[in-house]
Amino acid sequence: MSDTRSVFVDEGVLDINYIPSKLLHRDEEKRLLEHFFDHLLSAPYEMSQRAIIVGGVGTGKTALAQLFGRELVEKAKKRRVKVRYIHVNCRELRGSLFMVLRRVVKAMRPDFPERGYAANELMETLMQLLSEEDTQLLLTLDEIDSLIDTDGTEALYNLTRVQEGLLDDSRRLSLLCISKDINVLKKLDKSTLSSLQRSIIQLKEYSPPQLSSILLSRAEAAFRKDATPLEVIDFIAELASQEHGDARYAIDLLWRSGKYADLEISRQINLNHVRKAAPSVFPTIKEESINHLSLHELYVLLAVARFFKINNLPNASTGEVETLYKVVCEEYNEKPRGHTQFWKYLNQLKGFDAVHIKMDSSNQGRTQLINLTKISAEDLEKEVLQAIEQK
Ligand SMILES: Nc1ncnc2c1ncn2[C@@H]1O[C@H](COP(=O)(O)OP(=O)(O)OP(=O)(O)O)[C@@H](O)[C@H]1O
Ligand SMILES: [Mg+2]
């Protein structure tokens, strides 16, 4: 039952994990996906396809893949063709091929034992399961850059080659990769690259009118009638368009604006609610991304926040952050990890748009520069402290 004083009727519609039943302005891209993977339905087991979706933050990559996967499975069922769809986020799985494979095998066999298998064994197990079920699998590797950064290009190479040399010559595994950055392709070996290059789906930034229509369709389901005047929708769309057309930012801001309206017991969201909500919405540092960091990664992030809280400088060096990281560890009575491990933690933070890490060109050694954008050091510190507490 909805609270009669609230502007919301169904907040869940604005949840970050909500998948809308229809994606606006992505028909063409969806058709392209259908085209690339058509053989799963029309010529099952004949080939294994690879494709990649590329686009900036909040351009609908994840939603598009998930929606496509859902529809693919439904269509397959109608045609009595066996297709599974499994979607894994490589960054949430720390960019580890091993963890990705374990997640996939677990999705197929929930009671599969947690321990005792190496990555190559899991790969074999996966192929065996597909063969036993006599099914095809479309596996989506979301945020594939993380897998390549951590486990190298070999991980992807192995996944694309696993079917060659098997006795069973049915093609069962197709891959859909997702990346924010097209440069990820440059890192791949020639043959993986050439198979992906032929099937790239690029998602453009949403324009303000497109963002407005996306917001409108969500607002209709999430809010009481008349609670979201058009000028509010357009204002949020304008702000989100400044954030590179990030639909997630737009939807998040809409939700928070509703919260401010509720706080003031207003029946309608107004522009001032949006203004109040805007500074608290950070398109990248959000619970979703922060909560899957390990404790020590959070300590490193805290060290980054502390550095910029104390120093009015554009960049921090790795050394400076590492020193502060050790202080943070001391504070929490934890033994700081060694330099190599610290380096890995730091690289794990590359996924955030708010933390930029680049090589220091003035220094030929392996120094990196860390830079904080889009979030104040104080806010970042607050968020991280909260996340640490929850662990
Ligand atoms: N065309 C659209 N129509 C309706 N909702 C959309 C559309 N595009 C994106 N959204 C919504 O915006 C939010 C962000 O989309 P999504 O998570 O797919 O972005 P992304 O490209 O995967 O971003 P990231 O690179 O940060 O992972 C989701 O809640 C999604 O449902
Ligand atoms: Mg995504």
Side-chain angles (χ1 to χ4, degrees):
M1 283 300 284
S2 63
D3 181 342
T4 49
R5 282 159 307 177
S6 173
V7 288
F8 293 101
V9 287
D10 185 0
E11 265 187 65
V13 175
L14 304 175
D15 188 272
I16 45 164
N17 295 317
Y18 176 85
I19 305 170
S21 57
K22 192 174 163 15
L23 280 189
L24 300 165
H25 316 294
R26 292 296 186 222
D27 291 343
E28 210 176 295
E29 292 83 354
K30 190 147 141 286
R31 271 200 296 275
L32 207 53
L33 265 179
E34 284 161 1
H35 168 70
F36 288 147
F37 291 103
D38 177 61
H39 65 90
L40 289 175
L41 303 174
S42 60
Y45 311 108
E46 286 201 357
M47 65 180 272
S48 58
Q49 174 68 287
R50 291 127 213 182
I52 182 163
I53 303 179
V54 184
V57 177
T59 51
K61 300 181 295 297
T62 301
L64 175 64
Q66 273 174 332
L67 210 60
F68 167 70
R70 194 191 278 175
E71 289 179 9
L72 177 73
V73 170
E74 277 165 19
K75 279 186 205 159
K77 220 180 241 161
K78 281 200 192 118
R79 294 201 195 184
R80 299 179 191 275
V81 175
K82 283 193 174 175
V83 178
R84 272 193 184 251
Y85 176 81
I86 299 178
H87 189 117
V88 292
N89 184 304
C90 301
R91 189 157 57 85
E92 279 169 21
L93 298 171
R94 332 206 135 275
S96 142
L97 177 65
F98 168 72
M99 284 175 72
V100 165
L101 288 168
R102 196 169 66 183
R103 175 65 61 89
V104 176
V105 169
K106 275 261 180 199
M108 294 193 66
R109 288 280 188 286
D111 54 355
F112 191 79
E114 284 281 334
R115 285 166 201 287
Y117 291 89
N120 58 344
E121 289 170 321
L122 285 172
M123 193 102 88
E124 273 169 30
T125 308
L126 171 62
M127 296 319 290
Q128 204 180 326
L129 290 178
L130 294 178
S131 173
E132 272 169 26
E133 266 188 33
D134 193 24
T135 188
Q136 308 173 88
L137 169 64
L138 174 58
L139 172 59
T140 295
L141 300 168
D142 205 339
E143 309 209 39
I144 182 102
D145 6 357
S146 167
L147 180 70
I148 290 166
D149 281 347
T150 311
D151 266 1
T153 55
E154 215 172 296
L156 189 56
Y157 180 82
N158 290 342
L159 268 173
T160 55
R161 292 293 168 277
V162 59
Q163 300 178 92
E164 288 164 14
L166 288 183
L167 285 177
D168 172 6
D169 62 1
S170 302
R171 294 290 184 243
R172 300 183 184 282
L173 179 62
S174 285
L175 297 175
L176 175 58
C177 306
I178 298 181
S179 171
K180 284 196 232 316
D181 186 2
I182 191 147
N183 286 323
V184 74
L185 291 173
K186 287 190 188 148
K187 301 181 186 163
L188 300 175
D189 64 280
K190 255 200 198 137
S191 72
T192 316
L193 174 67
S194 76
S195 71
L196 278 176
Q197 247 170 351
R198 273 176 269 129
S199 16
I200 302 178
I201 295 148
Q202 220 153 357
L203 301 189
K204 289 206 204 74
E205 286 178 11
Y206 292 117
S207 66
Q210 287 179 333
L211 287 164
S212 286
S213 58
I214 291 171
L215 284 165
L216 262 181
S217 76
R218 286 290 168 102
E220 272 165 17
F223 293 100
R224 177 187 299 288
K225 201 167 164 291
D226 302 326
T228 47
L230 218 52
E231 81 246 22
V232 163
I233 298 287
D234 287 344
F235 183 46
I236 294 177
E238 199 52 54
L239 292 176
S241 133
Q242 291 164 17
E243 291 295 337
H244 310 288
D246 180 348
R248 185 183 306 110
Y249 175 90
I251 292 165
D252 220 22
L253 184 52
L254 180 63
W255 173 71
R256 277 179 209 245
S257 305
K259 288 291 179 193
Y260 274 93
D262 271 4
L263 210 64
E264 295 180 8
I265 321 180
S266 162
R267 307 268 305 167
Q268 238 185 17
I269 303 178
N270 62 36
L271 296 178
N272 266 326
H273 297 139
V274 181
R275 289 197 189 97
K276 283 183 193 156
S280 65
V281 184
F282 296 103
T284 46
I285 296 281
K286 283 196 311 250
E287 285 157 33
E288 149 202 39
S289 44
I290 237 175
N291 280 345
H292 70 258
L293 291 179
S294 71
L295 204 53
H296 279 266
E297 283 158 4
L298 286 169
Y299 291 161
V300 175
L301 196 54
L302 186 58
V304 172
R306 295 251 168 99
F307 178 88
F308 290 106
K309 216 176 129 184
I310 316 164
N311 298 288
N312 188 21
L313 290 170
N315 294 306
S317 72
T318 20
E320 286 163 328
V321 173
E322 190 170 4
T323 309
L324 285 174
Y325 158 73
K326 287 178 185 157
V327 177
V328 169
C329 286
E330 207 166 291
E331 193 180 313
Y332 285 95
N333 276 326
E334 289 266 351
K335 199 166 164 285
R337 304 287 192 262
H339 181 70
T340 317
Q341 194 56 40
F342 166 80
W343 194 277
K344 281 192 187 153
Y345 293 144
L346 192 62
N347 276 307
Q348 200 57 36
L349 304 181
K350 272 186 181 163
F352 293 126
D353 230 23
V355 180
H356 283 257
I357 301 177
K358 57 174 186 212
M359 292 310 284
D360 182 358
S361 51
S362 65
N363 182 329
Q364 279 157 11
R366 284 170 51 87
T367 311
Q368 301 192 72
L369 291 179
I370 297 125
N371 177 3
L372 195 63
T373 59
K374 290 192 184 171
I375 185 167
S376 71
E378 286 78 10
D379 285 324
L380 180 61
E381 185 186 27
K382 228 178 357 192
E383 302 259 343
V384 179
L385 285 174
Q386 250 172 27
I388 291 179
E389 212 163 290
Q390 277 168 17
K391 290 258 157 177

